[in-house]
Amino acid sequence: MHCLSRSGKRMKLYYTHASPFARSARIVVREHGLEGKVDEVVSHPFDGAEDFIKANPLGKVPCLVLDNGQAIMDSEVICAYLDRELGDGRLGRALEADWAVRTFYSVCSGLLDTLVLLRVEKVREAEGLRSAFWWGRYQAAIARTLDYLEAHTAALPDVVSLAQINLACAINYIGLRHAEIDWRHGRSALARLVDQLEQRESLVATRLHD
């Protein structure tokens, strides 16, 4: 695969401290020791900073801008680029080799999407616009998905992969935005795994906060 950036010039990774998607990219940066190649730039999407919007017209984080000005968007694509092109590819290897691990990764992404949608409903609730229908669907989907992840932790490789990183980011977001969800209850395997992951230096340094 052709590497888009090898000049040694520092790249920019736009992020916010509260974005679980950006956190996954920041973890990969640290897992591969890329801090010397990547400048992390806080840029809240709602601020509409000119350089950020120019790089990513969607106005979403994370966004990785290479030394040639080319932008890579979407956390999954950014993590894959950092892992394969600037790292040794070890974080994504298990996903490429095992459909069960890739599925686990995808389910974690879906959980994150649903958690963000539930967050939107909370904001709408403050405005008197919450949908009882969607509130119930999101809550049910989150509970079912957590049970699924609990039942499938054995599918994960012994070494840390993008699947474990995605999981940790989703669970950390629950703690930040949905503390009322008792994700640990009845899910001891999931709790042990996440607690172990959160002790890694790359995760300690990137925990979500406002």
Side-chain angles (χ1 to χ4, degrees):
M1 184 180 293
H2 176 64
C3 181
L4 299 176
S5 176
R6 292 288 189 186
S7 71
K9 184 177 179 181
R10 296 173 71 88
M11 293 168 276
K12 289 184 178 180
L13 177 65
Y14 292 96
Y15 78 103
T16 65
H17 291 292
S19 168
F21 304 101
R23 188 194 187 204
S24 64
R26 298 180 71 215
I27 291 172
V28 174
V29 165
R30 286 157 179 77
E31 286 290 327
H32 282 306
L34 301 175
E35 295 93 329
K37 297 181 179 180
V38 180
D39 284 329
E40 295 183 342
V41 181
V42 176
S43 184
H44 197 290
F46 293 160
D47 292 342
E50 183 177 353
D51 57 343
F52 172 64
I53 295 299
K54 181 179 179 180
N56 185 355
L58 292 171
K60 295 182 177 181
V61 292
C63 176
L64 179 68
V65 179
L66 308 182
D67 64 344
N68 61 4
Q70 182 169 351
I72 299 179
M73 292 161 269
D74 182 86
S75 59
E76 181 175 346
V77 180
I78 292 172
C79 287
Y81 175 81
L82 293 171
D83 182 49
R84 297 177 193 174
E85 301 294 346
L86 301 181
D88 57 14
R90 59 185 166 80
L91 297 176
R93 201 163 291 143
L95 278 69
E96 298 165 8
D98 191 331
W99 286 106
V101 179
R102 182 177 288 274
T103 298
F104 192 100
Y105 175 86
S106 180
V107 170
C108 290
S109 295
L111 174 60
L112 264 174
D113 289 339
T114 306
L115 290 166
V116 170
L117 289 171
L118 184 63
R119 167 66 173 171
V120 172
E121 284 303 313
K122 285 185 174 181
V123 174
R124 286 165 54 85
E125 181 179 28
E127 300 171 351
L129 299 173
R130 192 187 87 176
S131 166
F133 173 78
W134 288 112
W135 181 269
R137 282 187 64 87
Y138 296 151
Q139 292 277 8
I142 290 166
R144 290 194 305 266
T145 304
L146 289 169
D147 288 340
Y148 174 94
L149 296 174
E150 166 71 13
H152 290 81
T153 56
L156 294 172
D158 293 333
V159 296
V160 171
S161 73
L162 292 175
Q164 283 100 323
I165 291 172
N166 215 20
L167 170 65
C169 290
I171 299 299
N172 192 201
Y173 187 72
I174 292 177
L176 179 69
R177 297 297 186 218
H178 304 293
E180 75 282 359
I181 297 177
D182 186 6
W183 65 269
R184 292 177 179 273
H185 181 70
R187 305 181 185 102
S188 58
L190 191 63
R192 283 194 302 272
L193 174 58
V194 172
D195 288 345
Q196 292 171 359
L197 290 169
E198 289 291 353
Q199 294 177 27
R200 294 180 71 86
E201 290 184 8
S202 61
L203 278 80
V204 171
T206 57
R207 283 177 184 151
L208 302 177
H209 63 86
D210 286 313

